[in-house]
Amino acid sequence: MDQNLNFMAQVPEEQLEVFVETLIEKGGLTEMLSVSDEYKKYGKNYVAYWERIEKEYRAFGSNTITSAFSGPNTYRDILILVLKQCNVKYSESDSIERMEELLLESILKDMWEKLSREERIALFSDLKADIKNIDFNSIGGITSSMLIQIFRAGGFASYKITLIIVNAIAKAILGRGLSLAANAGIVKGISILVGPIGIIVTALWSVYDLAGPAYRVIIPCTILIAAYRKMGLTNNDF
């Protein structure tokens, strides 16, 4: 197992379900998880066979990497490949967490361009109550840079933004978001992001739907991994 993915075994069941169903849905005829003994035995008890789920994800990454360059299918390798495919700039010295954050930030920047001025104002109006460490008056103007600063700062506002990304992927691929229990009082005010983010994340892998089954798996699944780690880290801030 890859130590950078160990935390996934602690992710709530509903979030793991989105990951597993995305892997199966986008894997199509090439995925082997849904016919495995572990899947048949444990079903939605994903923690019981996380090692098998991880193996499936890394197998898709290995297939993609083998065709791109020679190397092991570590999570870092897969993450770097996804960053390249999504045209996200990074440094070889960046940590896993930093590269994941850059991936999520690229989605937020693209999303920002799809929002109207009214939607941008509404977004910050909702987030402002949850922000403690940022002086809005010192930043100047409602900009994408302000949104990224809020996202990087952690805390409840950052958690809400990340949850919206997960919801958007779930709705784009599975036709449904997380349950109301997970969303209650959290995403109500920033639900305007779901549509724009859904368009963006769909575009990231849709180009590979016919040409590259491995890419159409590792792109959304890697975004989910990045989002789940971010949610876990920010959850400790409040």
Side-chain angles (χ1 to χ4, degrees), residues 75 79 82-83 86 88-89 96-112 147-148 151-152 158-159 161-166 169 197 200-201 204 219-234:
Y75 173 64
L79 176 57
V82 168
L83 288 172
C86 296
V88 178
K89 294 182 180 180
I96 291 291
E97 291 79 4
R98 178 56 183 155
M99 287 192 287
E100 289 176 338
E101 196 162 67
L102 290 171
L103 177 61
L104 298 176
E105 287 176 7
S106 72
I107 295 173
L108 293 177
K109 289 175 183 177
D110 288 342
M111 173 276 299
W112 179 261
L147 180 62
I148 297 303
F151 180 69
R152 290 179 180 176
S158 181
Y159 180 87
I161 294 170
T162 311
L163 181 60
I164 282 292
I165 294 176
V166 174
I169 293 177
I197 288 179
I200 292 163
V201 295
L204 289 177
I219 290 177
C221 284
T222 301
I223 294 172
L224 285 172
I225 291 171
Y228 292 159
R229 195 190 312 272
K230 180 72 172 181
M231 287 170 67
L233 292 173
T234 53

Side-chain angles (χ1 to χ4, degrees), residues 19-31 53 56-61 63-64 78 82 169 173 204-206 208-209 212-225:
F19 181 87
V20 172
E21 291 191 16
T22 297
L23 192 159
I24 292 174
E25 173 68 22
K26 303 307 291 184
L29 297 176
T30 57
E31 64 87 15
I53 298 169
E56 185 80 7
Y57 163 75
R58 292 178 63 194
F60 276 103
N63 291 338
T64 307
I78 297 172
V82 168
I169 293 177
I173 296 178
L204 289 177
W205 64 71
S206 61
Y208 300 109
D209 272 352
Y215 281 111
R216 72 189 185 207
V217 170
I218 65 170
I219 290 177
C221 284
T222 301
I223 294 172
L224 285 172
I225 291 171

